[in-house]
Amino acid sequence: MGLAVGLYDVSKHFGPVVAVDHLTIEIEEGEVFGLLGPNGAGKTTTVRMICGLLRPTSGRVVVLGHEMPREALEARRHIGLLPQESDVYEALTGRENLEYFGRLYGLEGEELARRVEEVLRLVGLEERADDRAGEYSGGMKRRLMVARAIVHDPELVILDEPTMGLDVFAVRRIRRLVRRLAEGGRTVLLTTNDLEDAERTCDRVAIIDRGRLIAIGTIRELEERFQEKGLEELFIRLIEGGEGEGP
Amino acid sequence: MRPWAVVAGKEVKEQLRSRKALFTLLIIPLLTWIGMGLMHAFIFGSMSSTGPLATPLDIHLAVEDQGPYGLLAEQVVYAVASNMNALVHEVSYQEGLKLAEEGSTVLFIWVPPNFTYCLNRTGLARLGIWVDQTSARASAIAHAVVSIINSMVAEKKVDAVQKPIRKMPITLVMLSLMIMMSAMWGPMPTITSSFAGERERKTLEVLLATPVRRRSILVGKLLAAGFSAAIYMSSSVLGLAIYNGLVSWATAGMVGFESPALTLEQAAVVIAAAVLTVILSASVGIVISCFARSVRDAETYYSAIFMLPLMLVSGTAFMRFEELPLVLRAIVMAIPFSHGVLMVNNALIYGAPPGALFFSAAYMLAWSIGALLVGAKLFEREEIVETRRRGRRRWLRR
């Protein structure tokens, strides 16, 4: 197994605000990796640096063997992103939304049509595919966004808070989808506040707070290391107690 | 604290933190009044005889009647001219006629040799007046001279035989208006909803995360803006054609009425001017859209930025450019949006050489390219993704 993402001593400053502070994380290919942290911990900034949308103030970001953001265009062919706050083009149908992004990723003709059908089926939107996305419910829109992130069959799928604000059925469907992606050999980077999401889907997690790495490992490893049962208790103790193993 | 004070406090705090509110409440009224003030100061200031912006207007007078009414007419012309900051040059009838035919004067008044005789014998006399209708001041002087003389000759009557040096085509106002509206409203919906709309809908980040160069995204959006602008232009041209047809039909057979229909060459210049204005507007719109966080923000900035130029450009459209003071002319010439109107005026009224038209076109195109390059540069910034303000306006947080 190679390395899907490597963050090496990465920092990001916005003026006087330090959003990410000397973060070092390695994510293996084929694993579901959870990036956990309270609001404002620096998860979204980290995701944006991984996608090459933000340039780190210092440190190195390597994604699928590509230096970011210098080789971002090449790397992005193999990355699928679901941003934390996103929406769909409401005037287009669900299918048209997917076709648009498929084309931007270089898919054409039969391959495009096949991939669109596949992902529509995968997220359970095949029956409403030709309805305007503006008529979709919140859960359906989120599913369409997940489909949009994987329409080009990326090697690395980044889902930033994918279950935020969804009902229990939609949450379960997305969790199942994440596992299926991993079974298909894809690397999934999941950032979330929802610890149940992480417990049910992630192979390894990293907990960050105020841009710093607090802990990293499998959930079992972390429970043993910090002598705490359950991710929620562990999370609260690490964040509120200021404990951890950061740099 | 009383509840109403709590509510008011929160509302004020929100307004102070909104860049859009700041623009709407502070910048737009300021720009409106500054623009209006500049326009009026320059226009009326140029007419004054002593003010700092006084710009004398040369007019010509031929008095061939030395009788009392001839001398009265001469005195009235001098008095009115002095009041409206015009310099009277006395010439012979032949010289004045030549100047009028060449278009080298905006006003030539001729008091014929039999002026006093006719008034005394028949109670009716005529003045010859050649006036450039594009000069508001010349037209005003001509009108004032006839009115004042009539008020002074008691029971008698003075007619003015007016011959236009240049005519003001009836379509001109509509055309200039169309050019200005093209600048303001043509590509606006598409441009403002391009980046600002994507950002508002939270689709920009996912679009920028695709393996597509930002330059390509920019070009795609510009082409889409061009498409909506083309629809706008087509419907404007069609509307103008209908307008032309209606006016031609309604005024058919009227004596001394200039046909409002455009020749093919004139129509080509009008359309070219409008297209260039739309391209320019689209390019500036892209720059604005790079800063705005939402469509409404973009529209507000767009209106504010266009307010001042439009005030000045409207002056260019409705009055003779040469009569504006030098400073204002320089300002108007520097504003790229003025050149659309100047192109139309030059083609339809003044018959300026093609060089003047090409200069205006090239100037607008250069600005468009410049704005696009700036837009492309702005679009490469990472702030285009990072929409939240961080570490700013701490003074407002308390």
Side-chain angles (χ1 to χ4, degrees), chain B residues 58 60 95-108 130-132 134 164-166 320 322 349-350:
Chain B
D58 290 316
H60 295 86
E95 285 168 341
L97 201 60
K98 190 164 172 260
L99 288 170
E101 281 168 356
E102 286 171 351
S104 306
T105 183
V106 289
L107 179 63
F108 169 49
W130 286 257
V131 64
D132 184 339
T134 65
I165 295 171
R166 282 193 190 87
R320 190 180 161 80
E322 284 73 12
I349 307 169
Y350 305 115

Side-chain angles (χ1 to χ4, degrees), chain B residues 276 343 353-365:
Chain B
L276 284 166
M343 276 175 81
L357 299 181
F358 285 126
F359 172 77
S360 287
Y363 190 73
M364 291 171 81
L365 216 51

Side-chain angles (χ1 to χ4, degrees), chain A residues 12 48 55 86-87 89, chain B residues 198 201-202 205 382 386:
Chain A
K12 179 67 187 175
R48 285 175 174 169
R55 184 181 293 275
S86 190
D87 206 344
Y89 295 112
Chain B
E198 293 261 15
R201 288 193 305 261
K202 316 279 186 200
E205 185 174 353
E382 61 181 30
E386 183 56 39

Side-chain angles (χ1 to χ4, degrees), chain A residues 30-55:
Chain A
E31 75 173 330
V32 178
F33 189 90
L35 191 59
L36 316 182
N39 293 334
K43 302 188 296 287
T44 298
T45 301
T46 304
V47 162
R48 285 175 174 169
M49 286 193 286
I50 291 171
C51 294
L53 294 171
L54 294 179
R55 184 181 293 275

